[in-house]
Amino acid sequence: MITVKNIVKDFKNMDGSVNHVLRGIDYTVEQGQKIVIVGPSGGGKSTFLRCLNLLETPTSGDIIFDGENITDPKTDINKVRQRMGMVFQTFNLFNNLTVMENLTLAPVKLKIMKEEEAKEKALNLLKRVNLEEKADVYPSSLSGGQKQRIAIVRSLCMNPEVMLFDEPTSALDPEMVGEVLDVMKQLADDGMTMVVVTHEMGFAREVGTKVLFMADGIIMEENTPDKFFTEPQTPRLKEFLSKVL
Amino acid sequence: MTIGEKFTSAFIAENRWQLYLKGLGITIEIAFFAAILGLILGTVLALMKLSTHRNGKPGVMHYIATAYVDIIRGTPSVLQLLIMWFIVMKSSNNGVLVASLSFGLNSAAYVSEIVRAGILAVDKGQMEAGRSLGLTKGMTMRYIVLPQAMKNIIPPMGNEFITLLKETAIVGYVSLNDLTRAANLIQSRTYEAFMPLIGAAVIYFVVIKALTLVLGVVERRLRRSDNR
């Protein structure tokens, strides 16, 4: 479904030196898979994820989504993004809009749904995350866990074919992590294709089809969840696991 | 002369109060049209300054807007007014139009910096979230970023309007009878400086105080949506 070929991403530092964040990544995400990416910070996990919907433009390499090379400048990236949901660490709900407006803005303004239709869909999805009574409030009055569940719903309102999660629970108070992970598990059970960058090892083990270990800008190790945690191959992964488990 | 006589000669005699009133009318007219032009052009300039290519580098528009702001901010507004009156719009004898244009073009440079700062102060996650949903940059700007930027923009914008209103006092240079010039004329007629000049100052003060109060109300109303 998504194939990345030799993705490289360099950032120029202020002093002119170059920071190689991604050093050539090849990977294919198949339909229905839940790919969980873990690794030390600075290893390129988030940058890799943000390259998938071109929030970061790769320095070189190709990203093929559903047969279309989205790194080609001729591709209408907005059309591609409509089919890829993204959930951010800091939620990024639209502060000037109510929850309902947050959910319906994109489908309505992009003329994918009529307003009534979009509202109905939004309300149904809100019920699934038990937040239907929050439809008319502004994001500032919500807890972090509520914000993140609504951010997930906002992406789902676009009927995406794949969902990207960029450390969705890292900015949450510990007692709210569970409610967000539950929604993500529900989504996984429904068969959604997911790419998740996270530090939640329990989630990786339980939900992942494959777990990737990213460090130093490459995918250092890839395995099924069972083997990933019980039979790590590289010393880096062994070291990492000994620290986080 | 007693104070009463001075007052009478400065304001009452020969219906002189009408001159102040007419002058105030012209001052407000110029400031009003200049503010509107400044607001529109300033916003356009701010968006131009923030515009980028697909690769993230600043585009031609950015450099045009930057050059404009540099030139306007780098020259005195009196000189800009004189240039507009005696060179650019030499054929026009509509002084209010020329002055409004001149001050509007001037104000736009300052407004553009205010708007730009207001936009930059909005968390960049808001733009990313909009784009990740497939909204275009323009749509995200219009529905998400600009409405939030308004809250950052209103207070310094009030400041800019106040500066603008007072700066129009230089239109006497191109023979427009605004409030300041009206006071000046009456002074030269009565050989008395105190009453007309202080009188004009009081009128400016009252108008600007009223403007400040209105802006305060607008600001509070915008903030209210924060905590609903």
Side-chain angles (χ1 to χ4, degrees):
Chain A
M1 184 172 208
I2 308 176
T3 301
V4 300
K5 290 182 186 164
N6 199 19
I7 288 289
V8 173
K9 178 69 184 178
D10 298 332
F11 284 108
K12 278 216 179 66
N13 295 328
M14 295 295 266
D15 60 7
S17 65
V18 177
N19 191 3
H20 305 286
V21 179
L22 299 179
R23 303 164 181 260
I25 294 194
D26 293 281
Y27 199 74
T28 297
V29 181
E30 306 284 358
Q31 174 111 36
Q33 281 189 325
K34 294 96 181 71
I35 305 300
V36 181
I37 306 172
V38 301
S41 51
K45 308 181 299 286
S46 286
T47 307
F48 173 64
L49 192 77
R50 289 161 58 84
C51 279
L52 295 181
N53 68 352
L54 256 53
L55 279 186
E56 299 291 351
T57 314
T59 309
S60 67
D62 294 311
I63 299 166
I64 320 289
F65 175 59
D66 203 15
E68 189 178 10
N69 187 348
I70 65 172
T71 40
D72 184 339
K74 285 198 282 288
T75 305
D76 182 355
I77 189 61
N78 296 319
K79 280 269 185 288
V80 175
R81 284 178 181 148
Q82 290 175 22
R83 300 160 60 196
M84 299 171 123
M86 183 155 201
V87 175
F88 300 86
Q89 183 176 348
T90 49
F91 331 124
N92 296 345
L93 291 180
F94 303 135
N95 298 322
N96 58 322
L97 303 179
T98 64
V99 167
M100 183 52 86
E101 288 164 346
N102 262 276
L103 304 185
T104 56
L105 178 79
V108 172
K109 294 295 175 197
L110 294 168
K111 299 194 168 58
I112 293 166
M113 290 176 211
K114 293 233 164 37
E115 192 168 345
E116 287 311 308
E117 201 183 338
K119 273 188 178 162
E120 197 183 312
K121 181 172 178 66
L123 209 57
N124 280 333
L125 285 165
L126 279 178
K127 278 182 190 149
R128 274 182 53 182
V129 298
N130 294 320
L131 287 171
E132 69 267 33
E133 80 277 13
K134 298 291 186 189
D136 296 317
V137 307
Y138 283 85
S140 57
S141 68
L142 299 170
S143 73
Q146 291 171 335
K147 281 182 191 171
Q148 196 60 301
R149 282 185 282 157
I150 284 164
I152 294 172
V153 167
R154 178 174 65 181
S155 289
L156 293 178
C157 280
M158 292 293 290
N159 289 322
E161 293 158 43
V162 52
M163 287 281 287
L164 312 175
F165 291 86
D166 189 3
E167 303 199 20
T169 58
S170 297
L172 295 175
D173 290 337
E175 79 270 21
M176 292 171 181
V177 170
E179 63 192 61
V180 171
L181 291 180
D182 284 344
V183 171
M184 290 168 65
K185 282 174 197 161
Q186 228 183 80
L187 201 55
D189 291 340
D190 292 348
M192 176 65 75
T193 309
M194 294 162 71
V195 183
V196 184
V197 171
T198 188
H199 295 296
E200 295 293 329
M201 297 302 149
F203 178 85
R205 199 189 299 237
E206 192 181 335
V207 178
T209 319
K210 286 281 172 62
V211 184
L212 311 188
F213 177 62
M214 271 188 82
D216 303 337
I218 56 166
I219 298 176
M220 219 168 253
E221 202 162 330
E222 179 209 349
N223 222 326
T224 57
D226 285 344
K227 292 207 170 130
F228 186 89
F229 291 103
T230 52
E231 300 165 32
Q233 304 296 309
T234 56
R236 281 297 293 276
L237 178 55
K238 282 177 193 163
E239 187 199 338
F240 178 74
L241 289 177
S242 74
K243 280 180 187 158
V244 298
L245 289 181
Chain B
M1 268 201 292
T2 66
I3 288 191
E5 282 165 350
K6 282 181 180 171
F7 184 88
T8 309
S9 100
F11 296 107
I12 314 287
E14 298 174 32
N15 280 338
R16 284 189 178 132
W17 56 273
Q18 284 183 349
L19 282 177
Y20 297 96
L21 220 55
K22 269 188 200 151
L24 178 64
I26 286 175
T27 294
I28 289 177
E29 202 178 342
I30 294 169
F32 178 77
F33 289 117
I36 290 178
L37 176 61
L39 203 58
I40 295 169
L41 184 62
T43 307
V44 172
L45 285 168
L47 293 174
M48 283 169 72
K49 261 199 144 178
L50 291 170
S51 69
T52 52
H53 280 310
R54 200 186 148 100
N55 63 15
K57 294 205 178 71
V60 184
M61 301 290 249
H62 167 87
Y63 292 106
I64 295 174
T66 306
Y68 179 86
V69 172
D70 282 352
I71 291 168
I72 294 291
R73 288 202 302 194
T75 50
S77 49
V78 187
L79 209 54
Q80 289 164 14
L81 179 67
L82 291 174
I83 290 170
M84 191 60 87
W85 178 245
F86 288 110
I87 303 172
V88 182
M89 297 195 59
K90 199 165 59 175
S91 54
S92 170
N93 51 13
N94 186 343
V96 171
L97 175 75
V98 174
S100 300
L101 212 57
S102 180
F103 285 109
L105 293 174
N106 178 281
S107 182
Y110 295 90
V111 169
S112 79
E113 289 299 288
I114 293 171
V115 173
R116 192 174 71 96
I119 289 172
L120 288 177
V122 175
D123 177 28
K124 81 181 199 326
Q126 297 284 310
M127 177 56 88
E128 286 187 346
R131 298 307 306 275
S132 79
L133 289 165
L135 294 168
T136 63
K137 195 172 173 183
M139 284 169 134
T140 314
M141 203 40 115
R142 180 168 153 211
Y143 297 116
I144 307 300
V145 178
L146 281 178
Q148 293 182 52
M150 279 313 284
K151 279 186 210 135
N152 311 324
I153 290 171
I154 293 290
M157 199 65 98
N159 224 353
E160 169 59 23
F161 286 157
I162 288 166
T163 307
L164 177 62
L165 189 87
K166 289 184 297 183
E167 204 155 273
T168 59
I170 58 174
V171 294
Y173 272 95
V174 296
S175 334
L176 279 170
N177 292 324
D178 74 319
L179 179 55
T180 302
R181 191 142 193 267
N184 212 228
L185 286 174
I186 290 163
Q187 178 200 352
S188 62
R189 195 81 58 83
T190 59
Y191 304 107
E192 242 308 312
F194 186 84
M195 281 293 171
L197 296 186
I198 297 299
V202 169
I203 297 171
Y204 275 112
F205 176 81
V206 169
V207 170
I208 284 164
K209 187 68 198 171
L211 187 62
T212 312
L213 291 174
V214 171
L215 287 164
V217 172
V218 174
E219 205 182 316
R220 272 195 299 282
R221 192 159 294 175
L222 277 173
R223 296 236 170 264
R224 214 179 295 162
S225 72
D226 274 353
N227 314 312
R228 252 187 296 187

